[in-house]
Structures are given as C-alpha cells and as structure tokens.
Amino acid sequence: MGKCILAQRRGAGSVFTAHVHKRKGAAKLRPLDFGERRGFVKGTIKEVVHDSGRGAPIALVQFRHPYKFKRVQTRMIAVEGMQTGQFVYCGKRAELAIGNCLPLKMVPEGSIVCNVELKTGDRGSLARASGEYCIVISHLPEQERTRIKLPSGEKKSISWNCRAMVGIIAGGGRTEKPMLKAGAAHYRYKAKRKCWPTIRGVARNPVEHPHGGGNHQHIGHPSTVQRACPPGQKAGLIAARRTGRHRGGQKTQGKEGK
C-alpha cells in the first residue's frame, strides 16, 4: 500500500485551507428590495481598496438603510472607471451608466455587463474576475428571459429580472504581465492558498501517485478512473465521458444557430 497521496491530504484541510485573514469579505450586489424593484437606490463610493487573493479591486459603496435612519456599507466588485466620490444607482429605473446596477430587461442588446446574477436575487455570480464581462445578445419577451454571452464564449439564457452591473470588471490585463521568476509566483499563490508549485503525477514515485514510477515518465495504464474508485486511486480523468482532442465544430455551430 502506498502513502497518502496529495489529493487526499488536500481534502483534509490543514495547511491547504485558503488564507482569508487579510480579505475584506464577500463582494456582492446589495440585497434586492422594494426600492430596486420599483425605482432606484443611490449610493456613494467611499473607497476603492485591494482585496488580498483577488485580482479585481473592491469598491466600498455607502447606501441609506431602507428602513432605519442610518447608512449601510456594501462591498461591490469595482468596475473599470469607478472612482471615489462617484454616485452609483441600483434599480429598475437607474440609467445605463458605468458602475450602475440594473435588471437585464432594462439593458439594451449589445451592452457590456459584468457581475451578473445567475438567479434573481443571488447578488452576482457570473463575470466577476478582473477584466471579465458578458455581452447581452437578445431579449426573449415571451419567455421573460435574456440571452447573454459569457466570458468563456458560451451563450446562456437567464431570467431578465437578474441584475447586472454596467461595464467591465476592473483590473483587466493582469495575466498579460509575465511572472519572470519563481519568487513572483510564490508570493502570488501565498495570498491564495498552498497550491504552488504543482508537480506532475508521472514525475513522482510509485508510492506517492498512481502515475508515478517507471524508467520513463509514462502513466502505463489508462488515465481514466471510475467515479466510485477509492481515495488514493482517484487520480487522472475521473469518470470521463470521452477523451482526446475535440475535433470539428459542426454540431456546436448547429446548436448556436438554434
């Protein structure tokens, strides 16, 4: 019996858990309320701050409390062009301007949006990484849905009551600067969790990984494993429906045409 492999150790947590000590907290849209459903709510950007382990900056936006005489601060992912002191408007009647948040049915076709809700009221799920955005393709009034193009290129139909922020997530082009040295990568992943450097399974010893060992670096058996196989053996292509290159694109094009 070999030793406990890395995937098993990661599942136990310990040193592999995320380094959240210096993070500002969850960045979400403000909770959906009566004011947003019927009109708009005005907020002020108090500060734009860096969030450890996140590529995009965070905007601290201050709104009036809907019922009490006080102000509440919301952490929102900053949109490119946001600045301190700027007013942002959230709601059905908000105008189409950078940083504003409004339901997709009020956004014209061809507009660029980000931090899009997948389900109404979930406070932002899609296109949240730095430099990412979605494109509104078309509205389907009879179904009350909107078709959007995701950053991956996939097209998706979601409820047109889902909210989105107008613009592109700030911090774009982050991945274009080369790392140049291992030290830069070390500090990059230090802010996230223990996930670097990554060592290939075939480069390890037989006791450390099912792909390890041998006189040449090779797996030596099919890399597909079943879903029900025990921990320690579950490495490689887990429950793969198919393997190899995806060649041709006729079927995909037919689906997009529909």
Side-chain angles (χ1 to χ4, degrees), residues 79-82 86-88 95-100 112 166-168:
V79 174
E80 204 168 280
M82 271 188 173
Q86 178 184 333
F87 293 130
V88 291
E95 65 177 11
L96 193 75
I98 296 292
N100 285 0
I112 287 177
V166 181
I168 301 175

Side-chain angles (χ1 to χ4, degrees), residues 3 13 41 65 78 128 140 229:
K3 62 194 276 192
V41 182
H65 193 280
R128 290 164 55 90
L140 310 170
C229 65

Side-chain angles (χ1 to χ4, degrees), residues 15-19 23 189-196:
V15 297
F16 296 101
T17 52
H19 302 160
R23 298 193 184 176
Y189 290 104
K190 187 181 180 185
K192 289 181 175 288
R193 66 198 71 82
K194 182 173 167 55
C195 58
W196 185 88

Side-chain angles (χ1 to χ4, degrees), residues 137 147-150 152-157 256:
I137 298 172
R147 197 163 164 76
I148 61 171
K149 186 177 182 182
L150 302 179
S152 63
E154 183 188 346
K155 296 180 176 70
K156 193 172 185 67
S157 172
E256 286 181 6

Side-chain angles (χ1 to χ4, degrees), residues 174-250:
R174 174 175 51 87
T175 56
E176 291 170 14
K177 181 183 176 184
M179 280 287 171
L180 295 181
K181 56 182 186 176
H186 167 78
Y187 286 110
R188 174 190 172 183
Y189 290 104
K190 187 181 180 185
K192 289 181 175 288
R193 66 198 71 82
K194 182 173 167 55
C195 58
W196 185 88
T198 52
I199 302 166
R200 293 167 297 131
V202 290
R204 298 181 193 170
N205 297 315
V207 290
E208 292 161 350
H209 199 273
H211 298 171
N215 285 343
H216 300 281
Q217 287 190 1
H218 70 295
I219 297 176
H221 52 82
S223 59
T224 52
V225 290
Q226 60 182 347
R227 179 80 66 197
C229 65
Q233 186 187 340
K234 206 170 187 178
L237 303 173
I238 299 169
R241 289 192 178 92
R242 55 155 293 165
T243 60
R245 289 173 56 200
H246 288 267
R247 305 188 68 174
Q250 296 301 317

Side-chain angles (χ1 to χ4, degrees), residues 119-164:
K119 295 183 174 64
T120 308
D122 71 7
R123 302 175 68 182
S125 297
L126 307 172
R128 290 164 55 90
S130 55
E132 300 290 12
Y133 61 90
C134 292
I135 301 173
V136 177
I137 298 172
S138 60
H139 297 298
L140 310 170
E142 62 280 354
Q143 300 172 14
E144 296 192 351
R145 295 181 79 79
T146 296
R147 197 163 164 76
I148 61 171
K149 186 177 182 182
L150 302 179
S152 63
E154 183 188 346
K155 296 180 176 70
K156 193 172 185 67
S157 172
I158 59 177
S159 169
W160 70 358
N161 291 316
C162 292
R163 297 172 294 167

